Amino acid sequence: MKKLRIMLLSSIFALTACESNSYKLTASLPSPIFVADSDKDGVSDDKDRCPNTPLNVAVILENGCPTAPEVIIVNVINYKALFARNSYYPNHDNYYDKLGNIAKKLQENPKFCLSLEGHASKAENDPISNDISKTRVLFIKQLLTEKYHINKDRIETVSYGDQRPIADNTTEEGKAMNQRVHGVINTCPKESAQ
């Protein structure tokens, strides 16, 4: 027991001795450097090649740009079909070749969708112009779904009637240019991609 008391007292003195030693910091610490990160993506503005990245988007630390899954791919592949007056059958020979190319792109890239717009000329009188522009766009969609087996949910359609002309509606040539379906392929919204 006496031995235990001595060991206990020695330990207390040793600990007290440790506590009594004080050390002075002689080296000065460098001042902190604050680097601007305007978009708060973790990459300093001087290295950030994508300075306006939205919050909560994963970025590549070397350049501040969104990582591949967050990048919105816009593959501007345009499609245009022209139609005879009051008709929904395209009036040019290579129409099916162009449509086949669009279908091939959609088949090869399941994350791509097609946005189709139907248009009419002023010569295709209201309410027919709105109906014919809708019929045209639905005809193209039907061909893509039935002939090329593209999922209908990957094709968005809208008809504008004669409200968005691209040419003069007072000339025959201009009217013919306005009787069209225009399409653009881009990345599907997440709920449409399959």
Side-chain angles (χ1 to χ4, degrees):
M1 183 79 142
K2 191 174 184 174
K3 241 182 181 180
L4 182 62
R5 278 189 197 166
I6 294 174
M7 284 177 51
L8 184 59
L9 284 174
S10 322
S11 298
I12 291 172
F13 288 127
L15 286 174
T16 308
C18 288
E19 288 177 9
S20 66
N21 291 341
S22 61
Y23 297 98
K24 290 186 178 179
L25 185 60
T26 55
S28 63
L29 295 174
S31 299
I33 299 172
F34 295 100
V35 180
D37 179 14
S38 302
D39 58 3
K40 297 179 182 13
D41 62 358
V43 179
S44 62
D45 288 349
D46 62 326
K47 294 179 184 174
D48 201 339
R49 289 190 0 220
C50 300
N52 296 317
T53 306
L55 286 175
N56 300 321
V57 171
V59 297
I60 300 168
L61 293 179
E62 289 81 25
N63 62 19
C65 292
T67 57
E70 299 296 330
V71 173
I72 296 173
I73 301 168
V74 176
N75 196 358
V76 181
I77 300 172
N78 287 302
Y79 167 77
K80 184 167 75 173
L82 299 176
F83 298 81
R85 187 168 296 148
N86 293 320
S87 172
Y88 62 88
Y89 290 106
N91 66 357
H92 50 87
D93 296 333
N94 63 353
Y95 157 73
Y96 282 104
D97 293 339
K98 288 182 179 181
L99 190 62
N101 289 337
I102 293 296
K104 184 177 179 185
K105 290 287 182 196
L106 290 169
Q107 290 165 343
E108 291 172 352
N109 302 288
K111 291 185 179 182
F112 285 175
C113 284
L114 178 63
S115 181
L116 292 172
E117 298 177 354
H119 300 274
S121 69
K122 285 279 188 198
E124 300 170 300
N125 298 328
D126 290 325
I128 294 173
S129 66
N130 196 35
D131 290 345
I132 195 67
S133 68
K134 184 176 183 177
T135 303
R136 287 174 179 153
V137 79
L138 291 175
F139 175 74
I140 301 297
K141 181 176 182 174
Q142 182 179 356
L143 279 175
L144 287 165
T145 58
E146 291 179 6
K147 182 175 180 168
Y148 299 102
H149 309 289
I150 305 298
N151 183 328
K152 65 180 175 57
D153 294 334
R154 294 175 60 204
I155 304 169
E156 176 186 64
T157 61
V158 63
S159 56
Y160 291 107
D162 60 6
Q163 299 303 306
R164 293 190 175 184
I166 58 169
D168 185 355
N169 258 319
T170 61
T171 67
E172 289 304 311
E173 184 179 286
K175 291 173 189 174
M177 295 295 293
N178 291 329
Q179 297 161 184
R180 70 195 189 282
V181 167
H182 179 252
V184 177
I185 290 179
N186 53 30
T187 302
C188 295
K190 289 183 181 181
E191 62 274 2
S192 296
Q194 293 186 359

